[in-house]
Amino acid sequence: MSKPDEALADRLATVAASAVEVGIGNRPTVAAALRDRGVEVTATDIERRSVPEGVEFVLDDVTDPEPAVYEGTDVVYARNLPPELHRPVRSVARTVGATCWFTTLGGDPPVVPVDPESLPGGVTLYRVTDRG
């Protein structure tokens, strides 16, 4: 596993007993690492994806989410989240009372209020705030 993925899993595991990863795509390493740290993980995507054993997968579109997928989770997070999905991910997290964390696609700035945190391996993790 890459150092940024390891750092992301380490950080999220400190704040969550359960997490939903939005848009897992073909990158299940953080979900697997969270599972290995004792976090209950659900992964979502708009297409069927393979996920590691012990990670639940649910077909869901965060722009038209099924709230039950996210209910009861501590953290809703996404990796390499494009700007057009920042608000929908924040909205679903707010709806279920979860915190919202994400990384961006390199040069894309967050379009919602966040507190940035630099993690080992050069990744910036953004925690969505209640400002705005």
Side-chain angles (χ1 to χ4, degrees), residues 1-11 30 37 119-123:
M1 179 181 329
S2 72
K3 187 166 183 95
D5 287 354
E6 191 77 31
L8 182 56
D10 285 343
R11 180 64 178 108
V30 172
R37 288 162 175 77
L119 300 179
V123 68

Side-chain angles (χ1 to χ4, degrees), residues 44-55:
T44 72
D45 205 297
I46 59 172
E47 297 180 23
R48 293 225 174 268
R49 303 293 184 169
S50 294
V51 294
E53 187 174 324
V55 173

Side-chain angles (χ1 to χ4, degrees), residues 79-111:
R79 300 169 55 207
N80 301 323
L81 192 64
E84 64 271 16
L85 294 180
H86 293 183
R87 286 182 180 91
V89 170
R90 175 186 67 177
S91 178
V92 75
R94 281 181 170 176
T95 297
V96 299
T99 58
C100 181
W101 301 68
F102 63 87
T103 64
T104 62
L105 294 166
D108 290 335
V111 297

